[in-house]
Amino acid sequence: MKGRIDMPPEHDTPATPDAVPDTAVAARESGHPTNDTDPATAAAHVDGEGVLRDWEGLPPEARILVPAFATPMRLPERAWAMLVLAVDIVGDTDPDHAGEVELFAGSWVPEQPPADGLYDGDLVVRLTHPADPASALPREDAADVEMLLAYQGRWQRVGQWRGVDDQWPRVVAATAAAVMGLHSDATEALARRDATPPPMKPMLRWARGGIGELLDAGLVTAGDELVWNRRNLGVRHTARVRADGTLVLADGRVYANPSGATTALGGNHQNGWSAFQRTSDGRTLGDLRTELRARHGR
């Protein structure tokens, strides 16, 4: 069994009544959640995966693999991959549990989307029968896991593990967190480097692709409010779409990519397309990009 990070060529959560604005809980989010609100403890106090999804601020279609409810070992018949939605690993602030996986969640993707600007940064895992006939585990109890990143117009392999048992989400979580974090940081750094409009010139579009495409298509409008409800922290994060295709948070921070915004807000790694809902109609940014893709027939 092995993991690696390499880049070879291609191959509507309802509003929470008791949630408070994010600006009122900035201090609470500065460290790791306390024991009475972390996912592992929550799993022991909530009744079922659906309640835990709402607790964590995950979309209804999310599958929570850590804490485990049921760990898939193969892709469903009509699924191409599982999109990684959230990864939370205990940091150095809790030395007794540092490195432990507290949350790993994903959702099934029915067919392979293009790895273009709308999907750049999406991370998926694919589960297949073990290719090695000499696998130590019974064939039905093991899986080969492949991790792919939408990057520069191609789905590129960033990790591969062979003959893994049903603990595979914990095995691959560190790689997923690292890839999501590196991609998010690189995207934001590139956007800031390019966003240098001279005085008295029109505002440049930071988000080449992404929300910028939704703006061009009229699926979102500058000024639209987005919300991310997180019962586990008692937080209702808000953001607004800007005319340049970026998101501005309640505290004034600006992000070129929804996942950069949610990762900054959550302290862990989140897919922002699935997390943020438009306040006016409850549709996620992911719903809107799926509609745009359907319009283009891709």
Side-chain angles (χ1 to χ4, degrees), residues 91-290:
D92 295 337
T93 55
D94 186 355
D96 292 337
H97 300 281
E100 291 183 8
V101 182
E102 287 201 327
L103 178 67
F104 190 101
S107 62
W108 297 118
V109 179
E111 57 186 22
Q112 180 176 344
D116 58 13
L118 278 171
Y119 294 86
D120 189 74
D122 276 7
L123 187 70
V124 303
V125 291
R126 289 174 48 81
L127 308 167
T128 56
H129 287 280
D132 182 1
S135 173
L137 294 171
R139 188 171 174 80
E140 294 306 317
D141 297 334
D144 287 352
V145 182
E146 181 182 36
M147 184 177 290
L148 304 172
L149 175 71
Y151 180 67
Q152 295 186 342
R154 293 188 296 182
W155 288 99
Q156 304 201 40
R157 181 191 297 151
V158 292
Q160 188 173 40
W161 298 261
R162 298 191 184 280
V164 195
D165 63 15
D166 61 3
Q167 293 299 302
W168 69 260
R170 298 182 186 275
V171 173
V172 309
T175 300
V179 172
M180 293 172 79
L182 288 169
H183 185 275
S184 178
D185 290 347
T187 298
E188 297 303 326
L190 180 61
R192 282 164 173 75
R193 187 199 70 183
D194 292 346
T196 54
M200 307 305 293
K201 294 291 185 180
M203 184 181 293
L204 296 183
R205 172 145 300 164
W206 283 20
R208 296 169 297 180
I211 295 178
E213 289 191 35
L214 299 182
L215 279 165
D216 291 341
L219 287 170
V220 298
T221 304
D224 278 354
E225 183 184 66
L226 307 175
V227 63
W228 179 27
N229 290 308
R230 303 179 69 206
R231 286 185 56 205
N232 60 342
L233 294 180
V235 183
R236 184 177 184 270
H237 296 301
T238 58
R240 288 194 181 275
V241 178
R242 301 203 315 176
D244 61 355
T246 61
L247 297 180
V248 57
L249 306 182
D251 62 7
R253 287 179 291 172
V254 178
Y255 290 89
N257 187 285
S259 296
T262 49
T263 295
L265 287 167
N268 51 24
H269 302 283
Q270 301 272 348
N271 184 297
W273 290 91
S274 299
F276 276 121
Q277 295 176 289
R278 186 162 54 190
T279 306
S280 61
D281 58 7
R283 300 185 71 188
T284 67
L285 290 175
D287 294 335
L288 296 170
R289 73 173 177 179
T290 298

Side-chain angles (χ1 to χ4, degrees), residues 52-91:
L52 186 53
R53 280 196 296 265
D54 182 49
W55 179 257
E56 290 292 335
L58 295 167
E61 69 274 12
R63 293 284 305 272
I64 298 176
L65 308 184
V66 178
F69 285 90
T71 304
M73 297 300 289
R74 300 288 183 272
L75 298 176
E77 183 178 349
R78 285 182 285 276
W80 170 68
M82 172 174 278
L83 174 68
V84 179
L85 297 180
V87 183
D88 190 7
I89 298 176
V90 181

